[in-house]
Structure formats: C-alpha cells, structure tokens
Amino acid sequence: MVKKLDKVDVVVVGTGWAGGIVSAELAKAGYRVVALERGKEKSTEDYIGVKDELRFTNRYEMMQDLSHETVTSRNTLDETALPVRTKDEMMVGTDLGGGSVHWSGAVYRWLPYDFEIYSKTVERYGKDKIPEGMTIQDWGITYDEMDKYYDRFEKTAGISGEQDPHPDAPKRSNDFPNPPMKETPNIRLFKEAAKKLGYHPFQVPSANMSQTYENPDGQTINQCMYCAFCSQYGCDFGAKADPIVTVIPTARKTGNFELRTNSYARRVLHKGGKATGVMYVDTVTGQEYEQPADVVVLGAFTFTNNRILMLSGIGKMYDPKTRTGVIGRNFNGQFNSAALGARGFFDDKKFNLYMGAGALGAVFTDLTGDNLDHTDLDFLHGGAVEIRQYGDGAIASNKVPDGTPGWGLEFKKNSIYYANRNLNVWFTPAIMPWWHNYTDLDPTYTDAFNDPLLRVTYRLKDQDRNIARFGIEKCREVLEEMGADIIDEDEVPEEFNHIYFGGHYAGGVIMGEDPDTSAVNNYLQMWDMDNLFVVGASAFPHFSNHHPTLTIGALAYRAAEGIEKYLKNGGGSLAENYSEQENRRIV
C-alpha cells in the first residue's frame, strides 16, 4: 500500500549536478526541498584509499546495476531490441551525486552556433545543406543568455582554465576562477605541434582544482594531487568538483533540504494537467511512498528522465512513422563512433604517464562548430582535437602497435618498450539528431518492478562516419608533427554496435521554442505541465563537440531561476510567447 507523505514545495528526482543545483538553489531561497536518490548515501570519506583499478576501472563499481534496470537497444524500427546487460557496454552512474562523482572533470562552454544551429546553418549555407532526416533545431535560447549561467557553474565548481585561449572562443563575462592545470611534457609537445600546424591549443578547462578554492557558497574544494585516480573514481582528496563537495552540502546547510537515498522514483503523479508529486519505492524496505509537491523536478540521467515521463503518461510520445510527437525525440550523444583518434608510438621520447588527472590535457577548437567553412565538407558542425593525461593504470594501459601478437615474446617486448612511449590524440565530434534515433518503452522487457524498460533505436549515418574520418586524419597529422614513429588509427564503425561507452547520452525531452517540436521551454519547464521541470542532458536537441557537464549545470541554474519565478508568481508558463505557440498548436 502506498504511504502518502506531507506535501513539500519541491520534490527533485536525482542528485547529480542537475538535481543537486536545483535542490541547492531552491533550498537557499527558502523552499522546502526533498531530493530522491535511487542509490546509497556517499561522502568523500567513502573514496579515501580506494585506488583500486580492478574494482573501479575493470568492474565498474560506481556504475548502475544493470540486472535491475537497463535499456534495450536496436538499430532499426523493424528489429527486436535486446537488453544491454554488462557495465562495459553502458556506463551510468549511481549513488549520491550520480555520474557527476566519477566524471573526469573536463568542462567546455558550447558555442553560440550550437544554440541557434538551424538558423545559423540556413543563413550561411541554405536549407539544402541540412540532409533529409536530420532534425536539428534552435534551442530557444542564445549563447549570450547562457553566459551568466555558465559563469555561475564555473564559480560553483571552481573551474581551472586559461583566459581567452582562442580567437574564436565564446566570449565570457568573467575569467575562470582558477588558473589552468599544470603543463606536462607530452601536453607541451602536443601544443607545439598544433601551433606549427596553425592551430590554437590551450589547456583543457578543468574541474580538478589547480589550487585550493572556496566557492561562492562557502564550500572548499582542495588542490588536485595528480594522483591519476579520477575518471571512474570518486576523489579521495575532495579535489574534483562534484555535487558531494559543492551543491549537496550547500543544500543541507540551509535546513530546508531533505535527502532520501535508496529511493527509486517510478512515476510522476498528476491530475488535471498538473503534477501532484512523485511515487517512489524504498529499495531497502520495499515500501511505496507518494511525495506530494507544488513543483516536481526530474533531474536524473537522460535515460531516467525519458522513461519516467513515458511511464507516467506525460507529453505526446514521438512516433517515428509520422515524425510527430516529442517525448523520446532526438536521442543523441557522444558514444560509440565519438572520441575516435590515433595513437602514436615513439622511439626517441619517453613520458611519465602514471601521474595525471581526469581533465589534465590540452585541446584545440579551430575545427569546432562553424569555425571552418562547411561549403565543400560532407558533414555539419565539427570537433575538438585533444590529448589527455589521465594517469595510466597498470591493467588498462598495456598499449602496443597494431600487428603485435596478443601474447608471447614479441608482445612482452613491445609492451615493456612502449609502456612510456605512446600517446593518444583523439577527436570529439558533434552528434547530430535524426528522425530515426529516438527512445520509447520496450514492448517485451521489464525491470525488477515489472515496468517496461526504455528502448533505444539508434543507427549511424554518413554524417557520423564522415566527421569521424575527418577527425582521425587531423589526429594523425598532429601525431606526425609530434614525431611519432608508428601511428595506429582507430577504425570508424559502419554501424552502431550497441555499446554505450562514455556516458554522454542526451535528448528525448528536448528544449525549444515550439511545443510541436520540443518537450520543454528554455527554463526546462514542460509545455504540457507547467509545474513539472525536466533538467539534464535530456534537454539537448543535439550534442555539441565538447563534453556536456558545463551545459547541464548552466541549464540547471536557468531552471532553478525559472522554478523560483514560478513559485513566486503562483504558477503559469515561463515562456514569454507561450500563448501564441499554444494557439498555433491547437489550431
């Protein structure tokens, strides 16, 4: 039997950057906030001394248990989707802070071009440049409007970065709060080679602290020790900005915030066009609860935001056959064919690759967005060329040139010789949306509560393959200039192979100006239910060439501002021209 609890002002599903920021901002504003986290309570102390590559890199201890809930995957509409069952095929974070705790920490602002991608593409090249079936659209917000929210996240997370690193870099209202990370010899070599090729390299903006930092909320983030246990790990020094050391403590100290862990959200409850609360299960006791609230916020991972809306029957489901509807539309993200590149092996250079940090590296962005002329190119948008020094692990870093046997004397000889003589340069491309890439509920497979799993239908297009080949060639050019003696290029897959590696999944509850083609407005408020906000990468109509976290955080600050306006004004849509759009949709 469902137990009904006392009503609160706001209930938030998820405690990553999206849910954590919204919780902190509204609790600071004096509203009573309850946050539901499906995983366990965690703190920095839980990660002290756990530099265990086998547990975290090989066995993915910080990732979601896919035996309880996963996604099913297929390439085309006429195929039967099958469940993704192993953690090396899909990386989804869990526990307090979610994937924001085991992230690497690379943070980039997306481009002015991204937020107005349809308009700017048509303006420069004409409509015919957009391939049939590519569903790019403007986001309903501009970069200039996003600047202040980017700035807020950068200050909260204490981002370490170079000021004005590139002539085409997006303009900023303020400098980074911290100086960049250290420049190691291999990073310096990359920069020198890139400059010789005419590019403008700079240090990767990093949520790993270059110095001890106190953020505007009074939370201290410690200086990075370059210990190399960062990506797929929680930071035992408290030196990587994440919700556990920033927004969750900020929310707690207000006295207006309640965290409930082991709380698995199953439905948004609603009546008469309004959300009334969230139904969730305590996974320890099995008790079902109803948490009533004036405002409901889905601030979870992309898959969860999509699925809860579908299970709750909120919004019009996307139908790929008619190409109408919005919930599930424009699924996108950086996985599979993204982040390909080339690896160089050197005879006359050695590097200390066993120190590092998640976002220690260099990048150039001359080839991103519309910085290059696409008139004669067979793809839209672009990508960034990066080198990172994560800090090699003993198990995962045994790199040898292609053609080396997988065992025996030659393998042993090459693995020892090249252990400190190989560098990887990779390309992070933008991912464009297509009418046939979407999510819906699977008709066959269910989770532990007998609810349908989320089904992903996704296949590659020439756009994806062409942009990847372009990027790999640029990586080769850089490695040649760096002096690599052997260069092995990654292979571009012909089709998506159902491996969701990397954790950058987006879309399905996308933002925009038109309720016919978007699920939420630019405050991430549902068009169909004005007291329901869906916050996170699920709002991205397409995926830019950089990592998503900074844009997720910026949009979360935007959403928090909107929710506060909504509560102060006693309800209503926050979209200025909503009435005109709603009338057009009804007609």
Side-chain angles (χ1 to χ4, degrees):
M1 186 179 196
V2 178
K3 183 176 181 180
K4 189 170 183 178
L5 304 171
D6 292 337
K7 189 177 183 180
V8 297
D9 297 314
V10 183
V11 59
V12 180
V13 176
T15 60
W17 278 122
I21 287 171
V22 170
S23 296
E25 291 303 295
L26 293 172
K28 284 160 55 179
Y31 295 101
R32 187 181 173 199
V33 179
V34 166
L36 304 176
E37 167 56 51
R38 69 183 177 189
K40 301 173 184 177
E41 172 86 36
K42 291 289 182 180
S43 67
T44 300
E45 287 73 20
D46 290 308
Y47 304 113
I48 292 176
V50 290
K51 301 180 186 302
D52 189 328
E53 189 182 354
L54 187 62
R55 283 175 62 189
F56 294 96
T57 300
N58 293 72
R59 295 176 177 169
Y60 304 98
E61 186 167 301
M62 295 183 70
M63 309 303 171
Q64 175 183 326
D65 180 0
L66 301 181
S67 67
H68 171 80
E69 178 204 334
T70 185
V71 301
T72 66
S73 183
R74 63 180 183 173
N75 293 130
T76 62
L77 275 63
D78 57 356
E79 293 178 341
T80 298
L82 297 175
V84 177
R85 289 298 190 195
T86 62
K87 293 181 181 180
D88 60 345
E89 294 174 315
M90 188 173 79
M91 297 168 57
V92 178
T94 192
D95 297 331
L96 183 63
S100 305
V101 176
H102 65 72
W103 71 313
S104 298
V107 287
Y108 297 95
R109 293 189 176 204
W110 285 6
L111 307 170
Y113 174 72
D114 284 306
F115 299 103
E116 301 172 89
I117 186 170
Y118 178 83
S119 298
K120 289 183 178 294
T121 300
V122 171
E123 178 183 349
R124 184 170 181 180
Y125 305 106
K127 289 184 179 180
D128 291 343
K129 185 63 176 176
I130 302 172
E132 167 62 28
M134 181 186 285
T135 52
I136 57 172
Q137 65 184 54
D138 294 347
W139 289 39
I141 196 168
T142 65
Y143 174 83
D144 289 343
E145 293 172 297
M146 286 289 292
D147 173 67
K148 70 174 183 179
Y149 305 110
Y150 275 139
D151 185 67
R152 289 191 67 183
F153 183 88
E154 288 165 350
K155 287 182 168 63
T156 295
I159 303 306
S160 307
E162 291 186 35
Q163 317 303 337
D164 299 321
H166 184 277
D168 294 323
K171 303 306 178 187
R172 336 168 35 89
S173 55
N174 290 293
D175 289 343
F176 287 108
N178 283 310
M181 301 284 279
K182 293 184 180 297
E183 183 182 79
T184 61
N186 54 307
I187 292 174
R188 189 177 307 116
L189 181 64
F190 171 87
K191 287 181 177 180
E192 290 170 352
K195 288 176 182 176
K196 289 178 182 177
L197 292 170
Y199 300 120
H200 301 81
F202 56 93
Q203 289 288 119
V204 172
S206 171
N208 316 123
M209 297 300 103
S210 59
Q211 60 187 10
T212 299
Y213 172 74
E214 182 177 309
N215 77 9
D217 292 317
Q219 307 301 336
T220 297
I221 315 173
N222 296 319
Q223 183 176 7
C224 179
M225 298 289 105
Y226 299 91
C227 75
F229 290 85
C230 194
S231 303
Q232 300 179 334
Y233 296 80
C235 182
D236 60 351
F237 295 108
K240 177 174 65 175
D242 64 39
I244 289 177
V245 298
T246 57
V247 289
I248 298 299
T250 295
R252 279 176 156 157
K253 74 180 182 181
T254 66
N256 299 320
F257 173 76
E258 180 183 352
L259 171 67
R260 296 182 195 152
T261 53
N262 302 301
S263 299
Y264 184 83
R266 293 182 60 197
R267 299 288 189 281
V268 173
L269 304 173
H270 54 97
K271 184 178 181 180
K274 294 280 189 179
T276 59
V278 173
M279 189 273 278
Y280 71 96
V281 179
D282 184 318
T283 55
V284 175
T285 66
Q287 175 66 53
E288 290 186 336
Y289 292 96
E290 176 185 345
Q291 178 57 68
D294 291 326
V295 170
V296 173
V297 180
L298 296 182
F301 210 64
T302 291
F303 291 143
T304 300
N305 284 350
N306 275 258
R307 185 167 177 258
I308 290 178
L309 282 179
M310 294 174 187
L311 291 173
S312 305
I314 299 173
K316 185 178 180 181
M317 288 282 295
Y318 175 68
D319 182 349
K321 295 179 180 178
T322 63
R323 305 191 191 182
T324 60
V326 293
I327 307 300
R329 181 175 182 264
N330 281 34
F331 177 73
N332 61 87
Q334 282 182 333
F335 48 87
N336 191 249
S337 64
L340 300 178
R343 185 174 295 275
F345 296 86
F346 299 79
D347 287 332
D348 62 344
K349 296 180 178 69
K350 293 183 70 175
F351 310 97
N352 175 14
L353 302 177
Y354 294 96
M355 61 80 68
L360 175 61
V363 61
F364 60 81
T365 58
D366 303 72
L367 309 174
T368 59
D370 209 30
N371 288 343
L372 64 168
D373 188 344
H374 286 74
T375 302
D376 297 322
L377 295 177
D378 53 5
F379 59 85
L380 285 178
H381 213 296
V385 178
E386 282 194 24
I387 189 170
R388 293 277 193 94
Q389 188 165 340
Y390 292 102
D392 283 350
I395 299 174
S397 61
N398 202 357
K399 307 300 182 184
V400 293
D402 287 351
T404 301
W407 61 281
L409 291 177
E410 186 179 352
F411 170 77
K412 292 179 181 178
K413 176 185 174 182
N414 283 352
S415 65
I416 293 171
Y417 182 75
Y418 288 113
N420 293 305
R421 290 183 171 92
N422 76 91
L423 298 173
N424 188 46
V425 175
W426 45 298
F427 184 75
T428 55
I431 306 298
M432 299 295 99
W434 299 86
W435 70 268
H436 50 72
N437 292 344
Y438 71 101
T439 66
D440 64 354
L441 294 176
D442 191 276
T444 305
Y445 294 96
T446 60
D447 68 5
F449 297 106
N450 207 35
D451 285 330
L453 295 180
L454 188 73
R455 177 172 64 179
V456 177
T457 304
Y458 191 88
R459 62 187 173 94
L460 301 180
K461 295 286 287 184
D462 287 342
Q463 157 82 21
D464 305 296
R465 292 181 280 265
N466 293 341
I467 198 171
R469 293 188 185 104
F470 172 84
I472 290 171
E473 178 58 30
K474 298 303 178 183
C475 294
R476 167 177 276 280
E477 291 174 5
V478 173
L479 282 166
E480 288 175 348
E481 189 65 41
M482 291 171 70
D485 297 283
I486 300 171
I487 299 174
D488 292 338
E489 297 181 3
D490 290 332
E491 293 186 11
V492 178
E494 285 302 312
E495 190 49 275
F496 175 55
N497 59 7
H498 312 292
I499 296 177
Y500 295 82
F501 183 81
H504 295 171
Y505 325 122
V509 195
I510 63 174
M511 61 190 292
E513 298 175 315
D514 187 349
D516 287 335
T517 57
S518 60
V520 296
N521 61 29
N522 61 25
Y523 284 99
L524 307 192
Q525 178 189 38
M526 288 285 296
W527 292 110
D528 295 320
M529 196 166 288
D530 65 14
N531 67 332
L532 174 59
F533 293 74
V534 186
V535 187
S538 54
F540 297 171
H542 74 276
F543 206 98
S544 187
N545 52 263
H546 284 313
H547 297 63
T549 308
L550 180 55
T551 300
I552 292 171
L555 286 173
Y557 277 112
R558 168 80 174 177
E561 179 182 284
I563 295 166
E564 189 172 356
K565 286 182 181 179
Y566 178 90
L567 290 167
K568 285 182 176 179
N569 295 338
S573 173
L574 298 168
E576 294 178 0
N577 56 346
Y578 176 73
S579 298
E580 176 186 340
Q581 292 163 337
E582 182 65 8
N583 288 337
R584 184 171 69 250
R585 183 169 63 156
I586 293 171
V587 171

